Amino acid sequence: MYTQGLDSLGADCLHQATDAVTLEQRFQSKVDADDRIEPKDWMPEAYRQTLIRQISQHAHSEIVGMLPEGNWITRAPSLRRKAVLIAKVQDEGGHGMYLYSAAETLGVSRDELLEQLLAGTAKYSSIFNYPTPTWADVGAIGWLVDGAAIMNQIPICRCSYGPYARAMVRICKEESFHQRQGFEIMMTLARGTPEQHRMAQDALDRWWWPSIMMFGPNDAASKHTAQSMRWKIKRFTNDELRQKFIDITVPQAEFLGLKVPDPDLRWDEATQHYVHGTIDWKEFEEVLKGNGPCNRERLEARRRAHDDGRWVREAALAHAEKQRARETRAA
Amino acid sequence: MSEQRKQWPLYEVFIRARSGLEHKHVGSIHAVDARQAIEHARDLYTRRQEGVSIWVVRSSEIIASDPGDAEALFEPAKDKIYRHPTFYSIPDEVKNL
């Protein structure tokens, strides 16, 4: 479990070495050695708080993320598409549950986290505040939004915090279907009638920039990156992941015969990477602040679902209590 | 917060992937009772045929070892390498050993 350096101190020293500085050193050397931190292990308070914030934001994003696509379940163009979309939206709900569970291992209750979401004090991914006016949006979300999410999430499978890493392994396995079904929708539209092709292009035009903003602010402006990387919560910087995403996605757009809506986008022979145009961070900040096209609508939908479900939660609990009381009387 | 007190209790979920394998911890779930915990675990953890059997147990019923006791509990086994077959050197010409 512990590193060589600490072992060499001998067993007696290990038991005395419990002051904060030593605990922190021992924690960091465990992280440096790529060992995992588990719920009952000692951890710095700031590490715990960072994880609670990140994991719960991630969970909220999955839950709110069910809404833009849920919008199309009743209007999916075929039974196959409908079954797939229901399965995908159900997965997103499941991902939210895995993540809330992981956050709870850090000593926060699920109710507290849900309250923060419903009160509007917690953040979730700004991408879900954009509307889904056409069926092509369902394709674009699967292809681009889930694609960007996978890029972000794969490194988190090796995160230093065990429960978060394990939740992410499950999630990444399931996300792959999401991305492929999205690309398939885009492919069908892009190869369809001119009108369908236009629909696919329009969806790409609207989702491209929000998708590449999903990786967060530029490295220079990202205040948490350095510490998160030292703690191995984060393995790559925002810009590194964004670049990777652009490099793999542009050829996919070309395959579809669609045009990425960035007039400055070009391949750079020297670096073997695409160079992209300037990102409008003002828009990102506005959406994050709550002024995106659908922020209010999304939160209202969550609050309504929570309120409408209250009687079910209460009735289930009352029923279980009654059953228990009956069993006790019978015994 | 009245709802805070009424939080559904937490259960740990264990799944047997195939008959012949042991149940393995996969995560946790909130439910009002054990039966509902199994129903919810089925929806959450076996959407892709991940299992043929589910165990649930109230999280509060689990008794775990303290990470602080890890050396006391597990270090003693560390220097007993003679418990492993590779500790013993046997000439190559001796077969089936």
Side-chain angles (χ1 to χ4, degrees):
Chain A
M1 264 285 259
Y2 294 108
T3 59
Q4 283 294 316
L6 284 162
D7 285 345
S8 67
L9 295 171
D12 290 340
C13 297
L14 281 174
H15 284 290
Q16 291 155 12
T18 47
D19 57 288
V21 177
T22 320
L23 284 170
E24 185 131 11
Q25 276 168 357
R26 206 186 277 182
F27 166 86
Q28 189 60 48
S29 49
K30 216 169 145 177
V31 170
D32 292 343
D34 269 331
D35 203 347
R36 294 288 182 269
I37 307 300
E38 293 295 342
K40 292 183 76 182
D41 293 337
W42 186 91
M43 61 187 85
E45 195 46 32
Y47 176 82
R48 184 186 299 277
Q49 291 309 327
T50 299
L51 278 170
I52 291 177
R53 195 191 64 235
Q54 184 174 330
I55 301 173
S56 62
Q57 281 178 8
H58 197 159
H60 299 327
S61 304
E62 301 281 358
I63 298 300
V64 177
M66 296 164 84
L67 298 170
E69 289 176 295
N71 181 32
W72 279 93
I73 288 177
T74 55
R75 291 170 290 155
S78 70
L79 188 56
R80 176 182 182 268
R81 295 287 188 209
K82 188 179 198 147
V84 168
L85 188 56
I86 291 173
K88 180 184 188 291
V89 172
Q90 194 189 4
D91 273 356
E92 306 297 1
H95 297 174
M97 298 300 120
Y98 305 153
L99 288 161
Y100 283 130
S101 289
E104 282 176 286
T105 63
L106 292 157
V108 62
S109 79
R110 185 165 314 198
D111 282 0
E112 279 173 73
L113 298 176
L114 283 178
E115 257 161 46
Q116 289 167 5
L117 172 66
L118 298 177
T121 53
K123 280 186 193 142
Y124 57 85
S125 184
S126 59
I127 194 90
F128 300 116
N129 291 318
Y130 290 88
T132 46
T134 80
W135 170 252
D137 293 323
V138 176
I141 289 179
W143 171 40
L144 299 173
V145 177
D146 288 284
I150 292 172
M151 194 58 82
N152 256 327
Q153 289 168 351
I154 283 178
I156 311 178
C157 295
R158 294 187 295 126
C159 161
S160 61
Y161 188 58
Y164 191 24
R166 289 192 287 275
M168 210 50 63
V169 170
R170 291 188 77 92
I171 291 174
C172 284
K173 269 190 208 158
E174 300 181 352
E175 290 282 2
S176 167
F177 130 61
H178 299 177
Q179 194 188 15
R180 289 171 67 110
Q181 67 85 36
F183 190 79
E184 194 199 63
I185 292 173
M186 292 302 275
M187 205 160 61
T188 308
L189 291 171
R191 290 172 176 176
T193 63
E195 200 189 344
Q196 286 171 323
H197 188 94
R198 270 199 302 279
M199 227 167 100
Q201 181 63 56
D202 164 64
L204 173 59
D205 289 347
R206 283 180 292 109
W207 290 96
W208 174 258
W209 289 104
S211 297
I212 67 169
M213 288 185 213
M214 277 177 72
F215 296 93
N218 285 128
D219 292 350
S222 173
K223 45 184 185 203
H224 301 301
T225 294
Q227 182 56 271
S228 283
M229 288 187 76
R230 213 169 82 84
W231 280 334
K232 296 196 180 167
I233 294 174
K234 204 169 176 163
R235 299 265 180 173
F236 298 96
T237 69
N238 297 350
D239 288 335
E240 283 168 346
L241 291 169
R242 185 171 10 249
Q243 186 65 53
K244 271 195 193 183
F245 175 74
I246 293 172
D247 286 347
I248 65 162
T249 310
V250 172
Q252 293 169 355
E254 282 166 4
F255 177 88
L256 293 172
L258 300 176
K259 203 178 168 319
V260 172
D262 177 356
D264 299 321
L265 186 78
R266 61 179 174 84
W267 174 252
D268 184 53
E269 260 316 314
T271 59
Q272 293 289 300
H273 288 297
Y274 283 95
V275 179
H276 62 84
T278 317
I279 298 172
D280 181 7
W281 290 111
K282 253 214 170 95
E283 176 187 322
F284 178 76
E285 279 159 26
E286 278 303 306
V287 180
L288 211 58
K289 263 196 274 175
N291 302 325
C294 300
N295 295 56
R296 226 154 298 154
E297 191 184 325
R298 299 291 183 239
L299 271 190
E300 270 164 25
R302 281 315 313 155
R303 286 187 195 124
R304 202 166 48 242
H306 189 76
D307 291 342
D308 290 352
R310 177 169 287 118
W311 72 271
V312 180
R313 294 192 298 277
E314 288 174 355
L317 201 59
H319 178 70
E321 275 162 11
K322 209 161 110 188
Q323 293 290 108
R324 264 194 293 276
R326 199 170 287 168
E327 277 165 31
T328 325
R329 269 204 306 278
Chain B
M1 303 237 151
S2 61
E3 233 182 306
Q4 195 80 30
R5 282 198 305 276
K6 285 191 195 156
Q7 181 158 235
W8 289 4
L10 195 64
Y11 287 81
E12 296 304 314
V13 181
F14 300 80
I15 296 210
R16 185 198 294 285
R18 285 196 315 274
S19 56
L21 295 178
E22 65 275 62
H23 286 77
K24 202 176 150 197
H25 184 243
V26 293
S28 55
I29 197 138
H30 284 279
V32 291
D33 59 18
R35 206 184 89 190
Q36 195 196 41
I38 287 186
E39 285 165 2
H40 285 185
R42 173 245 182 218
D43 287 345
L44 188 57
Y45 293 107
T46 67
R47 289 196 300 280
R48 289 176 175 77
Q49 296 182 292
E50 287 93 338
V52 294
S53 163
I54 301 173
W55 284 354
V56 293
V57 58
R58 279 286 285 266
S59 307
S60 55
E61 296 293 315
I62 290 190
I63 298 146
S65 65
D66 183 341
D69 293 340
E71 297 97 42
L73 290 172
F74 308 115
E75 287 285 304
K78 204 176 163 187
D79 58 1
K80 297 180 180 58
I81 49 171
Y82 47 83
R83 284 178 170 158
H84 297 279
T86 45
F87 178 73
Y88 304 93
S89 48
I90 307 286
D92 282 349
E93 54 266 40
V94 183
K95 301 294 175 202
N96 302 317
L97 206 67

